[in-house]
Amino acid sequence: MALPKGLDPASAYRTMVRMRLVEEALTQAWADGLVPGEYHSGIGEEGINAGILAHLSGRDSMALDHRNTSPLVGRGTDITKIMLEVLGSEEGLNLGKAGHMHLMDPELPAASDGIVGASGPLAVGAAVANQRLNPGRVAVAFHGEAAMNQGMLMESYNLAVAWGLPVIFVCKDNKWSITTYSAEVTGGDLTDRAKAFGLRVRRASGDRVEDVYAAAGDLIRRARSGAGPGFLHVSCHRPAGHFEGDPIVRLLKNPRGQAAEWGPSIADSVRAQGGGSRSERAAALTDLTKRGARAARDYTVRSRMDPIRRGRRLLDPASADRIEAMEATEVETAITVARGAVDQRATFGATGGGAR
Amino acid sequence: MTIMKYGQAVDFAVGEAMAEDDRVVTWGEDVKLIHRDLLVRFGPERVRDTPISESAFLYAGIGAAMAGLRPVVEIMLIDFLPVAWSGIVNAASKFRDFSGGRWEIPLVVRAGCGGWYTDGGQHEQVLWGQLAAYPNINVVCPSTPADAAGLMLTAVETDEVVVFLEHQLLSEQWIDYLAGGSRSTVDFDHLIPADGAQGEVPLPLERVPLGRAAVRREGSDVALISLGVGAHRCIEAAQVLGGSGIDASVLDLRSVSPLDRDAVVDQVRKTRRVVVVDEDYVRGGLSGEIAAVLLEADVAAAYARVAVEGTIPFAPHLEYAALPNVERIVAAAAGLE
């Protein structure tokens, strides 16, 4: 496809590379035991984030979900500050109070919320404020397809249409609700659902930044002009699973090890006295097997649909090399600072009050 | 008697209850994978995955309980229950009274709670004080595998609503899942009370009644009152205090509602000094309630509380300082006149 008008492929590629490198630095830090708790990476969502961010300017609002690092990186938040926050330093973006799931940057402005679906009402509120105080500014809510089963998000769609708000809901559809296959717990078609609320609907492939850019541009221009809210459905994949350490990804990467961990108690339980009939137990085993097979399929497909690899083809290789080298240096510098700030911590929380 | 881990003990009790009574069903987010052992024993009709729709599937649990089932509804983390708050406040709490006592709601709301593993302010709350405020809502948080199994069995068998809180630091399932405990590069052993994470469980299971506290340590100078991980922190604090000649008792409440008022009064009548150690917020909750219980019983005592003052910070050292740690408990106890 021809590049959509207005898209600078080098700039979009730079944004995607920067996001990917920051995510990789943080997932490595997680594996090294330097990131406490959970970490939900945005690897696989770069095409979506870059395609949308290219249309945002000034003080357009962003309401983010648990995969919030990449949109902040792409929008220009200081990556050292982000990394310090995620590694648990009080020198971080939010003084160590937030952690990765709740990164906040009032300067942008962008707010993250770990409660699934909450980005919807937050963006609606920002849009009401923008409508009154800053006409021309839009608000963007980033959420997953699983969030579309959450009441507050559906209520937000209605509110946005009823009040004619300058808000865009971006549904990043990776097909998984935590570790449940979304189609198993979702009725109907999601774009039909959005249409039924009266939202202007567009679709795009998340592995093609130019596709996202074109679809988002249409919705954002429309919302900016006061013509009402939009819904963008974008397909994507999450190669690292719901979060680092996702048990299904563990199963895919190390089937024998995970089977050894889960197998004995599953075998005991399937034979245990009292409980379901033979066919009910068989149905349960099929259920678990199906989940593993679907995850394996998605995991494989993902490797062929990397937005970074596809985005690289939009510019000449020498320019891509230069961008990669420059971003790698900056990210390396930032993660070195962040790791240095917490490296005297043997393992988090293991020692008393004052120690890191 | 057998040795079980904390999370395993909870699932074992749910399994026993499900085998005993086929009206017992369970649903929640990712339940089929997390509780795969229950799934393969009881089948996908009784062990269901839900969409991320807390307000609907919690309220549906109330409807199902009123129509003859005995649901164990799992809200992954108690921090997510506020999304479904009306089900607790306006329905589960009220319908028995609205029906003139004719409609029982045999519902268990099962959820992880609590911190110490650094998961931030939206994933580490306990909220037990607020939950205990509403009529007809029992709230428990066990501190050992035996209590976990015994309280869960009681919770499923009673005709009342029980919010069953599993402490995430004690549950091997949650530490593995939420804290990335599968990484070889992190070590939670310094933080996890060993006696709480694993221990003896009597077989057949012994039911633990709602509203009955357990004295974990006898002492004459000061009573430390807590539950969940807090009970273990109190035992550790009592050992430290013993080194300075202060003899502390430890009362593990196990239930926030009903509260074992007699046990509280008995302990503090002996010691005349009390420290309430609460992983919940300091205002409007358990620690103030204990002060009220003592006043109502006419027990004069020196009182202090060690609780959570604000949003639980993410950074590990800030989180540690914000939670009721041993140093804070010792300082509070030693500071009482």
Side-chain angles (χ1 to χ4, degrees):
Chain A
M1 107 185 226
L3 282 183
K5 199 175 155 220
L7 176 66
D8 173 0
S11 166
Y13 186 64
R14 179 184 296 281
T15 306
M16 290 198 290
V17 167
R18 190 175 179 81
M19 292 189 289
R20 173 68 59 92
L21 291 171
V22 170
E23 295 285 12
E24 285 177 349
L26 288 172
T27 52
Q28 184 59 51
W30 186 91
D32 293 341
L34 294 173
V35 176
E38 304 162 55
Y39 187 74
H40 310 78
S41 93
I43 292 178
E45 296 188 350
E46 293 90 348
I48 303 176
N49 292 324
I52 288 160
L53 297 189
H55 293 287
L56 302 186
S57 59
R59 290 178 56 81
D60 288 331
S61 311
M62 299 198 300
L64 306 171
D65 63 7
H66 50 295
R67 300 189 200 282
N68 52 56
T69 307
S70 283
L72 290 174
V73 169
R75 197 81 186 277
T77 302
D78 184 322
I79 59 172
T80 309
K81 290 279 188 192
I82 291 176
M83 290 171 174
L84 284 164
E85 184 67 28
V86 173
L87 268 63
S89 162
E90 57 192 289
E91 308 295 319
L93 178 66
N94 304 115
L95 310 179
K97 298 280 177 67
H100 102 276
M101 230 178 316
H102 316 118
L103 296 177
M104 299 277 169
D105 190 345
E107 298 300 316
L108 287 176
S112 314
D113 195 322
I115 301 300
V116 171
S119 61
L122 284 171
V124 160
V128 176
N130 285 342
Q131 204 178 37
R132 274 187 70 75
L133 306 175
N134 306 292
R137 284 185 196 167
V138 296
V140 182
F142 292 78
H143 62 76
E145 87 291 346
M148 287 187 66
N149 291 322
Q150 187 70 289
M152 69 175 120
L153 182 58
M154 293 301 94
E155 294 167 32
S156 304
Y157 286 10
N158 181 59
L159 205 46
V161 174
W163 287 354
L165 296 174
V167 58
I168 296 96
F169 301 97
V170 178
C171 174
K172 306 170 291 174
D173 188 346
N174 62 26
K175 301 200 283 189
W176 288 86
S177 304
I178 320 178
T179 54
T180 297
Y181 198 63
S182 293
E184 294 275 325
V185 290
T186 306
D189 176 82
L190 296 181
T191 48
D192 287 350
R193 200 187 279 186
K195 259 182 217 153
F197 277 100
L199 288 162
R200 170 72 67 102
V201 171
R202 286 285 176 272
R203 304 187 71 131
S205 297
D207 53 318
R208 296 186 190 280
V209 64
E210 67 278 21
D211 197 23
V212 178
Y213 179 86
D218 178 44
L219 295 176
I220 292 172
R221 272 190 301 275
R222 188 171 174 272
R224 223 184 265 295
S225 73
F231 170 86
L232 178 61
H233 179 276
V234 202
S235 58
C236 64
H237 293 279
R238 43 166 226 196
H242 176 67
F243 48 30
E244 297 304 300
D246 178 321
I248 294 188
V249 175
R250 260 149 58 190
L251 177 67
L252 297 177
K253 288 188 172 169
N254 179 14
R256 202 170 288 185
Q258 203 61 38
E261 196 183 316
W262 291 353
S265 69
I266 289 183
D268 286 351
S269 301
V270 86
R271 288 192 301 261
Q273 289 212 327
S277 65
R278 193 178 285 252
S279 67
E280 283 168 326
R281 294 180 197 222
L285 286 171
T286 306
D287 199 294
L288 280 181
T289 313
K290 203 158 87 180
R291 187 179 305 226
R294 279 171 162 160
R297 182 199 58 200
D298 284 359
Y299 193 72
T300 312
V301 166
R302 162 72 186 81
S303 62
R304 298 200 295 269
M305 302 179 74
D306 184 347
I308 305 268
R309 214 173 60 204
R310 293 195 161 167
R312 198 176 202 280
R313 295 186 203 140
L314 301 177
L315 59 165
D316 66 275
S319 308
D321 287 345
R322 272 197 304 278
I323 287 170
E324 287 159 15
M326 198 184 285
E327 292 302 327
T329 308
E330 275 194 41
V331 172
E332 183 59 33
T333 306
I335 195 67
T336 305
V337 170
R339 293 177 77 118
V342 297
D343 71 353
Q344 55 281 55
R345 185 173 83 209
T347 180
F348 50 86
T351 51
R356 275 176 192 270
Chain B
M1 200 70 94
T2 185
I3 302 286
M4 282 192 204
K5 291 180 174 171
Y6 182 95
Q8 182 192 7
V10 180
D11 272 355
F12 183 79
V14 173
E16 292 291 285
M18 289 181 77
E20 188 63 34
D21 183 344
D22 61 14
R23 295 172 301 169
V24 181
V25 297
T26 186
W27 63 66
E29 291 153 12
D30 283 352
V31 155
K32 283 183 182 175
L33 188 68
I34 296 172
H35 306 302
R36 52 195 170 270
D37 294 349
L38 293 174
L39 171 67
V40 299
R41 182 174 174 191
F42 298 102
E45 199 175 301
R46 293 178 70 190
V47 180
R48 294 181 189 223
D49 281 336
T50 60
I52 304 175
S53 311
E54 287 89 359
S55 57
F57 74 73
L58 185 271
Y59 235 109
I62 297 163
M66 294 166 73
L69 290 180
R70 306 182 75 85
V72 178
V73 173
E74 179 157 322
I75 299 281
M76 195 172 256
L77 313 186
I78 199 64
D79 310 70
F80 307 158
L81 186 63
V83 176
W85 209 235
S86 188
I88 296 291
V89 177
N90 291 314
S93 156
K94 301 298 188 311
F95 287 177
R96 186 169 155 219
D97 292 335
F98 288 169
S99 71
R102 290 189 298 154
W103 222 328
E104 300 289 357
I105 319 253
L107 171 72
V108 180
V109 179
R110 173 183 182 181
C113 79
W116 302 94
Y117 66 96
T118 317
D119 205 7
Q122 277 181 347
H123 283 52
E124 292 200 338
Q125 301 170 92
V126 295
L127 304 183
W128 54 49
Q130 293 166 64
L131 287 160
Y134 304 108
N136 305 314
I137 306 289
N138 299 283
V139 184
V140 304
C141 181
S143 66
T144 66
D147 279 359
L151 277 168
M152 180 48 96
L153 198 57
T154 303
V156 180
E157 289 176 352
T158 178
D159 286 335
E160 300 175 14
V161 180
V162 180
V163 179
F164 184 97
L165 296 165
E166 291 168 64
H167 202 292
Q168 285 151 189
L169 189 70
L170 299 178
S171 166
E172 73 289 356
Q173 294 169 356
W174 288 123
I175 281 294
D176 177 274
Y177 192 75
L178 293 174
S182 59
R183 288 177 279 183
S184 59
T185 46
V186 295
D187 178 8
F188 293 97
D189 289 352
H190 312 72
L191 288 168
I192 299 174
D195 296 345
Q198 183 167 308
E200 289 188 341
V201 174
L203 289 180
L205 291 181
E206 285 174 14
R207 288 162 184 77
V208 174
L210 303 173
R212 184 90 48 87
V215 178
R216 301 295 187 197
R217 190 183 199 273
E218 296 284 358
S220 53
D221 294 331
V222 57
L224 308 178
I225 299 180
S226 191
L227 77 160
V229 165
H232 297 279
R233 298 286 185 257
C234 287
I235 290 167
E236 205 183 325
Q239 286 157 357
V240 175
L241 289 164
S244 356
I246 299 172
D247 187 20
S249 72
V250 176
L251 185 67
D252 179 355
L253 292 169
R254 305 195 286 195
S255 298
V256 184
S257 176
L259 191 61
D260 191 343
R261 300 168 66 100
D262 292 345
V264 169
V265 168
D266 283 354
Q267 284 300 313
V268 182
R269 201 164 260 153
K270 278 188 284 190
T271 59
R272 297 285 163 180
R273 292 182 198 88
V274 58
V275 179
V276 184
V277 176
D278 189 1
E279 214 179 307
D280 206 350
Y281 299 113
V282 69
R283 291 172 299 278
L286 176 65
S287 58
E289 184 64 20
I290 295 214
V293 163
L294 293 170
L295 281 169
E296 284 167 356
D298 217 8
V299 179
Y303 167 94
R305 50 182 162 176
V306 179
V308 176
E309 310 272 348
T311 300
I312 301 171
F314 171 77
H317 58 297
L318 301 179
E319 180 217 31
Y320 184 88
L323 293 176
N325 60 51
V326 171
E327 293 87 337
R328 288 179 66 195
I329 301 168
V330 168
L336 291 177
E337 292 292 314

